[in-house]
Amino acid sequence: MYLCVYNPVNSIFNNCLLFLITLKSYNICYLVYNLKNLLFYILIYCVFFITLIMSDICRPIAQLTFGGCGGMYNYSLGIASVIQKNFDLCDVAISGASAGCFPAFLLALGMDVDELFESWNIPFLNEVNKNYFGALCKWNNTVRRCTLPKFPVDAYIRAHSRLFCSLTSFPDFKNHIISDWKSNEDLLDGIMASAFVPLFDVCKISACFRGHRFIDGSLSNSYPLPHSLDIPSFIIRRDMWRSNKASWLWCWSDEVWARKLFEWGKCDAYEHLEEIGVVLLPITSNNS
C-alpha cells in the first residue's frame, strides 16, 4: 500500500511540464486542457498559501482568562483596571466564565473599567440593595436591566471572535465556548447564561440562550482557553494572590464592600505587574 500525500507544488510542476510538451506539439486540445489544469492547481496553491498566512495573522499572541468568581467579580474588575492601564491587549484573546465574563467583556471592547465601575456597577448594586432580600431572586433581572443600556451599539461586532464565554449546557453539563455574537441582546444573553445561578432568579433552574438551556459556565470549565496551549496564557483566579472566604462568593450588594474588593484587586495586580508581564506586553509609546 502506498500513502499518497497531496502536494500542490508537485502538481503545479507536473502540469507545467505537460503544458510545455503540448505547446511544443501544437496540439490545441491538449494545450487548453493542460492550461486549465495548470491554472486550477495554481489557484489551489494560492488558497492554501493564503490560508496559512491568515491563520498566522489571526493567531493571538496571548490569552487572558477571568475564572468564575461570583460576588468577587468586583475584585476581578480591579485587576482588569490595572491590566487595561498597563498592558497592550490588541492581539490578546480574552475569555471568561460565570461572573468573570464581565471584566473580560470590558477589556475585550476596550471600555473604561474605572468609569464603568462608577457609572454602571455602583448604581446597579444600589438598585439591588433596595430589595429586602438583596440579590436573592432579583440579581439576574437587575443585571440585565442595568447592563444592556451600557453596551455600545456595535458591542456584538467588536466582541465577535474577541470575547470567549464559557457556558454549561443543561442537563448534560457539557462545556461550550461561544464567541460568535449575533446582536447586543444575544451577547448579553450569552454572558448571563455563563453566569446563571438559580438562586438569583425567580422560578428558573437554567437560562435560555439560542433556544437551549444553560447554567453557570464555571461548572464545566472555569478557566476557558479558546486557543491551543502553546499560546501563552494568563489565568486570573479569585484566590491567586489573596486568600478569601467562601462567603465572599455571594453577590453582596453593599457598595462599601464592592469598593473594597475593587481596591484589593487593583492593589494585588500592581504588586504582581511583573508576573502579568511575563505573558502580556506592556503598553509603550508605539502601541498606546
Side-chain angles (χ1 to χ4, degrees):
M1 179 186 295
Y2 293 95
L3 179 64
C4 296
V5 179
Y6 175 72
N7 188 326
V9 177
N10 286 342
S11 297
I12 292 174
F13 178 75
N14 293 336
N15 277 274
C16 281
L17 288 178
L18 288 173
F19 177 71
L20 292 174
I21 292 172
T22 54
L23 181 63
K24 187 175 181 180
S25 63
Y26 300 105
N27 190 317
I28 300 300
C29 291
Y30 281 116
L31 179 64
V32 172
Y33 175 78
N34 285 307
L35 177 60
K36 183 175 68 174
N37 282 347
L38 176 61
L39 294 175
F40 174 73
Y41 284 112
I42 289 175
L43 178 62
I44 290 179
Y45 181 75
C46 289
V47 171
F48 176 76
F49 186 67
I50 291 173
T51 302
L52 287 179
I53 293 176
M54 291 304 297
S55 64
D56 191 57
I57 291 175
C58 297
R59 180 184 172 91
I61 60 172
Q63 303 181 86
L64 175 63
T65 298
F66 288 84
C69 51
M72 289 196 67
Y73 77 93
N74 291 290
Y75 177 76
S76 294
L77 284 173
I79 297 174
S81 170
V82 174
I83 289 177
Q84 186 175 64
K85 292 186 179 90
N86 292 274
F87 297 97
D88 180 16
L89 302 176
C90 290
D91 296 316
V92 176
I94 304 174
S95 58
S98 191
C101 288
F102 289 99
F105 166 76
L106 297 183
L107 292 188
L109 268 69
M111 300 174 71
D112 191 310
V113 176
D114 286 348
E115 191 276 326
L116 283 163
F117 181 81
E118 297 295 339
S119 67
W120 161 68
N121 190 51
I122 294 302
F124 150 70
L125 291 175
N126 290 332
E127 181 72 18
V128 173
N129 210 33
K130 294 177 182 178
N131 301 315
Y132 184 77
F133 294 107
L136 191 65
C137 299
K138 296 289 185 179
W139 184 269
N140 290 341
N141 288 335
T142 310
V143 170
R144 182 179 296 279
R145 187 174 67 254
C146 295
T147 302
L148 189 58
K150 294 294 183 180
F151 277 25
V153 292
D154 61 344
Y156 74 99
I157 298 173
R158 292 158 58 185
H160 187 83
S161 298
R162 172 93 166 123
L163 172 68
F164 300 81
C165 293
S166 172
L167 282 71
T168 302
S169 55
F170 183 82
D172 59 9
F173 287 87
K174 291 183 179 178
N175 183 250
H176 305 263
I177 297 179
I178 310 296
S179 65
D180 57 320
W181 309 108
K182 314 298 183 185
S183 65
N184 281 0
E185 290 76 11
D186 180 74
L187 173 57
L188 182 58
D189 285 346
I191 293 174
M192 295 300 297
S194 178
F196 185 86
V197 176
L199 288 173
F200 297 144
D201 218 319
V202 180
C203 301
K204 288 184 180 180
I205 60 171
S206 62
C208 183
F209 176 62
R210 298 179 181 175
H212 299 280
R213 311 306 299 180
F214 293 92
I215 55 176
D216 197 303
S218 63
L219 294 176
S220 58
N221 187 355
S222 193
Y223 308 109
L225 293 173
H227 297 281
S228 59
L229 296 179
D230 63 322
I231 297 177
S233 59
F234 190 80
I235 300 174
I236 296 172
R237 300 175 174 86
R238 62 180 176 83
D239 58 354
M240 62 190 297
W241 294 323
R242 183 184 294 264
S243 60
N244 46 74
K245 301 175 183 178
S247 61
W248 293 1
L249 290 173
W250 181 257
C251 292
W252 303 105
S253 55
D254 180 65
E255 179 180 339
V256 175
W257 176 239
R259 290 188 182 279
K260 179 178 284 190
L261 287 174
F262 189 60
E263 290 305 317
W264 280 351
K266 284 184 174 184
C267 179
D268 289 348
Y270 274 120
E271 289 181 359
H272 295 85
L273 280 179
E274 186 175 342
E275 180 183 341
I276 302 172
V278 172
V279 176
L280 303 180
L281 295 176
I283 292 176
T284 64
S285 57
N286 292 328
N287 56 22
S288 58

